[in-house]
Coordinates of all heavy atoms in Angstrom, one line a residue:
D217 N -43.4 18.1 -52.5 CA -44.0 19.0 -51.4 C -44.9 20.0 -51.9 O -44.4 20.8 -52.9 CB -42.8 19.6 -50.6 CG -43.3 20.3 -49.3 OD1 -44.3 20.9 -49.3 OD2 -42.5 20.2 -48.3
P218 N -46.1 20.1 -51.5 CA -47.1 21.1 -52.1 C -46.5 22.6 -52.0 O -47.0 23.4 -52.7 CB -48.3 20.9 -51.2 CG -48.2 19.6 -50.7 CD -46.8 19.3 -50.5
Y219 N -45.6 22.8 -51.0 CA -45.1 24.2 -50.8 C -44.4 24.7 -52.1 O -44.4 25.9 -52.4 CB -44.2 24.2 -49.7 CG -43.6 25.6 -49.4 CD1 -44.3 26.6 -48.8 CD2 -42.3 25.9 -49.8 CE1 -43.7 27.8 -48.6 CE2 -41.7 27.1 -49.6 CZ -42.4 28.1 -49.0 OH -41.9 29.4 -48.8
I220 N -43.9 23.8 -52.9 CA -43.1 24.2 -54.1 C -44.0 24.8 -55.1 O -43.6 25.8 -55.7 CB -42.4 23.0 -54.7 CG1 -41.3 22.4 -53.7 CG2 -41.7 23.3 -56.0 CD1 -40.7 21.1 -54.1
G221 N -45.2 24.3 -55.3 CA -46.2 25.0 -56.1 C -45.9 25.0 -57.6 O -46.3 25.8 -58.3
K222 N -45.1 24.0 -58.1 CA -44.7 23.9 -59.5 C -45.0 22.5 -60.0 O -45.0 21.5 -59.2 CB -43.2 24.2 -59.7 CG -42.9 25.6 -59.4 CD -41.4 25.9 -59.7 CE -41.0 27.3 -59.4 NZ -39.6 27.5 -59.7
T223 N -45.3 22.4 -61.3 CA -45.6 21.0 -61.9 C -44.2 20.3 -62.1 O -43.2 20.9 -62.1 CB -46.3 21.2 -63.2 OG1 -45.5 21.8 -64.1 CG2 -47.7 22.0 -63.0
K224 N -44.3 19.0 -62.3 CA -43.1 18.3 -62.7 C -42.5 18.8 -64.0 O -41.3 18.9 -64.0 CB -43.5 16.8 -62.8 CG -43.9 16.1 -61.5 CD -44.1 14.6 -61.8 CE -44.4 13.8 -60.6 NZ -44.5 12.4 -60.8
A225 N -43.3 19.1 -64.9 CA -42.8 19.6 -66.2 C -42.1 21.0 -66.0 O -41.0 21.2 -66.6 CB -43.9 19.8 -67.2
E226 N -42.6 21.8 -65.2 CA -42.0 23.1 -64.9 C -40.6 22.9 -64.2 O -39.6 23.6 -64.6 CB -42.9 24.0 -64.0 CG -44.1 24.5 -64.7 CD -45.1 25.2 -63.8 OE1 -45.1 24.8 -62.6 OE2 -45.8 26.1 -64.3
I227 N -40.6 22.0 -63.3 CA -39.3 21.8 -62.6 C -38.3 21.2 -63.5 O -37.1 21.6 -63.6 CB -39.5 20.9 -61.4 CG1 -40.4 21.6 -60.3 CG2 -38.2 20.4 -60.8 CD1 -40.8 20.7 -59.2
A228 N -38.8 20.1 -64.3 CA -37.8 19.5 -65.2 C -37.2 20.4 -66.3 O -36.1 20.4 -66.6 CB -38.5 18.3 -65.9
S229 N -38.1 21.3 -66.8 CA -37.6 22.3 -67.8 C -36.5 23.2 -67.3 O -35.7 23.7 -68.0 CB -38.7 23.1 -68.4 OG -39.3 23.9 -67.4
A230 N -36.4 23.4 -66.0 CA -35.4 24.3 -65.4 C -34.1 23.6 -65.0 O -33.2 24.3 -64.7 CB -36.0 25.0 -64.1
L231 N -34.1 22.3 -65.2 CA -32.8 21.6 -64.9 C -31.8 21.8 -66.0 O -32.0 21.4 -67.1 CB -33.1 20.1 -64.7 CG -34.2 19.7 -63.6 CD1 -34.4 18.2 -63.7 CD2 -33.7 20.2 -62.3
K232 N -30.7 22.4 -65.6 CA -29.6 22.7 -66.6 C -28.4 21.7 -66.5 O -27.7 21.6 -67.5 CB -29.2 24.1 -66.4 CG -30.2 25.2 -66.5 CD -31.0 25.1 -67.8 CE -32.1 26.2 -67.8 NZ -32.9 26.1 -69.0
H233 N -28.2 21.2 -65.3 CA -27.0 20.4 -65.1 C -27.4 19.2 -64.1 O -28.4 19.4 -63.3 CB -25.9 21.2 -64.4 CG -24.6 20.5 -64.3 ND1 -24.3 19.7 -63.2 CD2 -23.6 20.6 -65.1 CE1 -23.0 19.3 -63.4 NE2 -22.6 19.8 -64.6
W234 N -26.7 18.1 -64.2 CA -27.1 17.0 -63.3 C -27.0 17.3 -61.8 O -27.6 16.7 -61.0 CB -26.3 15.7 -63.6 CG -24.8 15.9 -63.6 CD1 -24.0 16.1 -64.7 CD2 -23.9 15.8 -62.5 NE1 -22.7 16.2 -64.4 CE2 -22.6 16.0 -63.0 CE3 -24.1 15.7 -61.1 CZ2 -21.4 16.1 -62.2 CZ3 -22.9 15.7 -60.3 CH2 -21.7 15.9 -60.8
M235 N -26.2 18.4 -61.5 CA -26.1 18.8 -60.1 C -27.4 19.4 -59.6 O -27.6 19.6 -58.4 CB -24.9 19.8 -59.9 CG -23.6 19.0 -59.8 SD -22.2 20.2 -59.7 CE -22.6 21.1 -58.2
D236 N -28.3 19.8 -60.6 CA -29.5 20.4 -60.2 C -30.6 19.4 -59.7 O -31.6 19.8 -59.2 CB -30.2 21.2 -61.4 CG -29.3 22.3 -61.9 OD1 -28.6 22.9 -61.1 OD2 -29.4 22.6 -63.1
Y237 N -30.3 18.1 -59.9 CA -31.1 17.0 -59.5 C -30.3 16.0 -58.8 O -30.0 14.9 -59.3 CB -31.9 16.4 -60.7 CG -33.1 15.6 -60.4 CD1 -33.6 15.5 -59.1 CD2 -33.6 14.8 -61.4 CE1 -34.7 14.7 -58.9 CE2 -34.7 13.9 -61.2 CZ -35.2 13.9 -59.9 OH -36.3 13.1 -59.6
P238 N -29.8 16.3 -57.6 CA -28.7 15.4 -57.0 C -29.3 14.2 -56.4 O -28.5 13.3 -56.1 CB -28.1 16.4 -55.9 CG -29.2 17.3 -55.5 CD -29.9 17.6 -56.8

Side-chain angles (χ1 to χ4, degrees):
D217 191 320
Y219 179 77
I220 295 173
K222 295 181 179 180
T223 66
K224 291 184 177 185
E226 288 172 333
I227 294 171
S229 66
L231 301 177
K232 305 301 182 186
H233 189 276
W234 52 262
M235 283 175 60
D236 297 334
Y237 194 14

